[in-house]
Short mmCIF file of all heavy atoms in Angstrom, two decimals:
data_model
loop_
_atom_site.label_atom_id
_atom_site.label_comp_id
_atom_site.label_asym_id
_atom_site.label_seq_id
_atom_site.Cartn_x
_atom_site.Cartn_y
_atom_site.Cartn_z
N ASP A 1123 110.11 158.34 68.90
CA ASP A 1123 110.21 159.73 68.47
C ASP A 1123 108.85 160.31 68.12
O ASP A 1123 108.62 161.51 68.27
CB ASP A 1123 111.14 159.86 67.26
CG ASP A 1123 112.60 159.66 67.62
OD1 ASP A 1123 112.94 159.72 68.82
OD2 ASP A 1123 113.40 159.42 66.68
N ALA A 1124 107.94 159.46 67.66
CA ALA A 1124 106.63 159.92 67.18
C ALA A 1124 105.56 159.95 68.27
O ALA A 1124 104.61 160.73 68.17
CB ALA A 1124 106.15 159.03 66.04
N CYS A 1125 105.68 159.08 69.31
CA CYS A 1125 104.59 159.00 70.28
C CYS A 1125 105.07 158.41 71.60
O CYS A 1125 106.23 158.06 71.76
CB CYS A 1125 103.47 158.13 69.71
SG CYS A 1125 103.95 156.39 69.52
N ARG A 1126 104.10 158.29 72.51
CA ARG A 1126 104.32 157.60 73.79
C ARG A 1126 103.49 156.32 73.72
O ARG A 1126 102.27 156.35 73.93
CB ARG A 1126 103.88 158.47 74.96
CG ARG A 1126 104.72 159.73 75.10
CD ARG A 1126 104.28 160.59 76.25
NE ARG A 1126 102.92 161.07 76.05
CZ ARG A 1126 102.10 161.46 77.02
NH1 ARG A 1126 102.48 161.43 78.27
NH2 ARG A 1126 100.89 161.89 76.75
N PRO A 1127 104.09 155.17 73.42
CA PRO A 1127 103.32 153.94 73.25
C PRO A 1127 102.85 153.36 74.57
O PRO A 1127 103.57 153.39 75.58
CB PRO A 1127 104.29 152.99 72.55
CG PRO A 1127 105.64 153.49 72.92
CD PRO A 1127 105.50 154.98 73.11
N VAL A 1128 101.63 152.84 74.57
CA VAL A 1128 101.06 152.10 75.69
C VAL A 1128 100.57 150.78 75.12
O VAL A 1128 99.75 150.76 74.21
CB VAL A 1128 99.87 152.87 76.33
CG1 VAL A 1128 99.21 152.03 77.40
CG2 VAL A 1128 100.34 154.20 76.90
N VAL A 1129 101.10 149.68 75.64
CA VAL A 1129 100.76 148.36 75.12
C VAL A 1129 99.65 147.75 75.98
O VAL A 1129 99.76 147.72 77.21
CB VAL A 1129 101.98 147.43 75.10
CG1 VAL A 1129 101.60 146.05 74.58
CG2 VAL A 1129 103.09 148.03 74.26
N LEU A 1130 98.61 147.26 75.33
CA LEU A 1130 97.52 146.59 76.01
C LEU A 1130 97.66 145.10 75.76
O LEU A 1130 97.59 144.65 74.62
CB LEU A 1130 96.17 147.09 75.47
CG LEU A 1130 95.98 148.61 75.48
CD1 LEU A 1130 94.69 148.98 74.78
CD2 LEU A 1130 96.01 149.13 76.89
N GLY A 1131 97.90 144.35 76.81
CA GLY A 1131 98.08 142.92 76.65
C GLY A 1131 98.59 142.27 77.92
O GLY A 1131 98.75 142.92 78.94
N ARG A 1132 98.88 140.99 77.81
CA ARG A 1132 99.35 140.22 78.96
C ARG A 1132 100.87 140.38 79.11
O ARG A 1132 101.63 140.03 78.23
CB ARG A 1132 98.97 138.76 78.81
CG ARG A 1132 97.45 138.59 78.76
CD ARG A 1132 96.99 137.18 78.93
NE ARG A 1132 97.63 136.42 79.97
CZ ARG A 1132 97.33 136.46 81.26
NH1 ARG A 1132 96.37 137.24 81.69
NH2 ARG A 1132 97.98 135.70 82.12
N ARG A 1133 101.23 140.89 80.26
CA ARG A 1133 102.64 141.18 80.52
C ARG A 1133 103.53 139.95 80.40
O ARG A 1133 104.61 140.03 79.79
CB ARG A 1133 102.76 141.82 81.90
CG ARG A 1133 104.14 142.28 82.23
CD ARG A 1133 104.16 142.97 83.57
NE ARG A 1133 105.50 143.41 83.90
CZ ARG A 1133 105.81 143.90 85.07
NH1 ARG A 1133 104.91 144.04 86.01
NH2 ARG A 1133 107.05 144.28 85.31
N PRO A 1134 103.14 138.77 80.94
CA PRO A 1134 104.02 137.60 80.81
C PRO A 1134 104.30 137.23 79.35
O PRO A 1134 105.41 136.83 79.01
CB PRO A 1134 103.25 136.49 81.53
CG PRO A 1134 102.37 137.20 82.50
CD PRO A 1134 101.98 138.48 81.81
N ALA A 1135 103.31 137.36 78.49
CA ALA A 1135 103.51 137.04 77.07
C ALA A 1135 104.46 138.03 76.42
O ALA A 1135 105.32 137.64 75.61
CB ALA A 1135 102.16 137.03 76.33
N LEU A 1136 104.35 139.29 76.76
CA LEU A 1136 105.24 140.31 76.22
C LEU A 1136 106.67 140.12 76.72
O LEU A 1136 107.63 140.25 75.96
CB LEU A 1136 104.73 141.71 76.57
CG LEU A 1136 103.43 142.11 75.87
CD1 LEU A 1136 102.80 143.28 76.58
CD2 LEU A 1136 103.69 142.41 74.41
N GLU A 1137 106.81 139.81 78.00
CA GLU A 1137 108.14 139.59 78.56
C GLU A 1137 108.80 138.36 77.94
O GLU A 1137 109.99 138.36 77.67
CB GLU A 1137 108.06 139.47 80.07
CG GLU A 1137 107.74 140.79 80.74
CD GLU A 1137 107.49 140.68 82.23
OE1 GLU A 1137 107.15 139.58 82.71
OE2 GLU A 1137 107.61 141.72 82.91
N ALA A 1138 108.01 137.30 77.71
CA ALA A 1138 108.55 136.10 77.07
C ALA A 1138 109.02 136.41 75.64
O ALA A 1138 110.08 135.94 75.21
CB ALA A 1138 107.50 134.98 77.06
N ALA A 1139 108.23 137.19 74.92
CA ALA A 1139 108.62 137.57 73.56
C ALA A 1139 109.90 138.41 73.58
O ALA A 1139 110.79 138.21 72.75
CB ALA A 1139 107.49 138.35 72.89
N ALA A 1140 110.01 139.30 74.54
CA ALA A 1140 111.22 140.13 74.65
C ALA A 1140 112.45 139.26 74.94
O ALA A 1140 113.52 139.49 74.36
CB ALA A 1140 111.04 141.19 75.73
N ARG A 1141 112.29 138.25 75.78
CA ARG A 1141 113.41 137.35 76.06
C ARG A 1141 113.81 136.57 74.80
O ARG A 1141 115.00 136.45 74.50
CB ARG A 1141 113.05 136.37 77.18
CG ARG A 1141 113.14 136.95 78.57
CD ARG A 1141 113.05 135.88 79.64
NE ARG A 1141 111.83 135.11 79.57
CZ ARG A 1141 110.67 135.46 80.12
NH1 ARG A 1141 110.58 136.61 80.77
NH2 ARG A 1141 109.61 134.70 80.02
N ARG A 1142 112.80 136.06 74.07
CA ARG A 1142 113.09 135.30 72.84
C ARG A 1142 113.83 136.15 71.82
O ARG A 1142 114.70 135.67 71.11
CB ARG A 1142 111.80 134.76 72.22
CG ARG A 1142 111.25 133.52 72.90
CD ARG A 1142 110.16 132.88 72.09
NE ARG A 1142 109.00 133.72 71.88
CZ ARG A 1142 107.99 133.86 72.72
NH1 ARG A 1142 107.99 133.23 73.87
NH2 ARG A 1142 106.97 134.64 72.43
N LEU A 1143 113.47 137.43 71.75
CA LEU A 1143 114.08 138.34 70.78
C LEU A 1143 115.32 139.05 71.34
O LEU A 1143 115.90 139.89 70.68
CB LEU A 1143 113.05 139.37 70.31
CG LEU A 1143 111.88 138.78 69.54
CD1 LEU A 1143 110.81 139.84 69.31
CD2 LEU A 1143 112.35 138.20 68.22
N ARG A 1144 115.65 138.73 72.59
CA ARG A 1144 116.79 139.36 73.27
C ARG A 1144 116.69 140.88 73.27
O ARG A 1144 117.68 141.59 73.04
CB ARG A 1144 118.10 138.89 72.67
CG ARG A 1144 118.28 137.41 72.86
CD ARG A 1144 119.58 136.92 72.38
NE ARG A 1144 119.65 135.49 72.69
CZ ARG A 1144 120.45 134.66 72.07
NH1 ARG A 1144 121.25 135.10 71.14
NH2 ARG A 1144 120.44 133.41 72.39
N ALA A 1145 115.48 141.34 73.51
CA ALA A 1145 115.21 142.78 73.59
C ALA A 1145 115.19 143.19 75.06
O ALA A 1145 114.53 142.54 75.87
CB ALA A 1145 113.88 143.11 72.93
N GLN A 1146 115.89 144.22 75.38
CA GLN A 1146 115.92 144.70 76.75
C GLN A 1146 114.86 145.77 76.93
O GLN A 1146 115.13 146.96 76.85
CB GLN A 1146 117.31 145.21 77.09
CG GLN A 1146 118.33 144.12 77.03
CD GLN A 1146 119.67 144.53 77.59
OE1 GLN A 1146 119.81 145.61 78.17
NE2 GLN A 1146 120.64 143.68 77.44
N ILE A 1147 113.63 145.29 77.16
CA ILE A 1147 112.48 146.17 77.34
C ILE A 1147 111.87 145.88 78.70
O ILE A 1147 111.68 144.72 79.06
CB ILE A 1147 111.44 145.94 76.23
CG1 ILE A 1147 112.04 146.26 74.86
CG2 ILE A 1147 110.18 146.77 76.48
CD1 ILE A 1147 111.14 145.91 73.70
N VAL A 1148 111.58 146.92 79.44
CA VAL A 1148 110.91 146.77 80.74
C VAL A 1148 109.47 147.21 80.56
O VAL A 1148 109.20 148.31 80.09
CB VAL A 1148 111.60 147.64 81.81
CG1 VAL A 1148 110.84 147.55 83.12
CG2 VAL A 1148 113.05 147.21 81.99
N PHE A 1149 108.55 146.32 80.90
CA PHE A 1149 107.12 146.62 80.79
C PHE A 1149 106.62 147.04 82.16
O PHE A 1149 106.59 146.25 83.10
CB PHE A 1149 106.36 145.39 80.29
CG PHE A 1149 106.74 145.00 78.89
CD1 PHE A 1149 107.67 144.01 78.67
CD2 PHE A 1149 106.16 145.64 77.82
CE1 PHE A 1149 108.02 143.65 77.38
CE2 PHE A 1149 106.51 145.30 76.51
CZ PHE A 1149 107.45 144.29 76.30
N ASP A 1150 106.27 148.32 82.28
CA ASP A 1150 105.73 148.84 83.53
C ASP A 1150 104.22 148.69 83.51
O ASP A 1150 103.56 149.24 82.62
CB ASP A 1150 106.09 150.32 83.71
CG ASP A 1150 107.57 150.53 83.89
OD1 ASP A 1150 108.22 149.68 84.52
OD2 ASP A 1150 108.09 151.55 83.40
N PRO A 1151 103.66 147.96 84.48
CA PRO A 1151 102.21 147.78 84.48
C PRO A 1151 101.48 149.06 84.84
O PRO A 1151 101.91 149.82 85.72
CB PRO A 1151 101.97 146.70 85.52
CG PRO A 1151 103.14 146.80 86.44
CD PRO A 1151 104.29 147.28 85.58
#
């Protein structure tokens, strides 16, 4: 609601964290 977030980092690490947390997030490179 406050902003448009852009994450700077390694996509595989973020995707692995999302799986561990059962978060349905798609990281668009």
Side-chain angles (χ1 to χ4, degrees):
D1123 288 344
C1125 67
R1126 296 180 297 156
V1128 174
V1129 179
L1130 307 174
R1132 298 193 44 82
R1133 186 176 179 188
L1136 292 162
E1137 290 173 338
R1141 281 192 302 276
R1142 281 192 298 276
L1143 295 171
R1144 296 184 178 159
Q1146 296 190 8
I1147 298 173
V1148 176
F1149 295 97
D1150 294 325

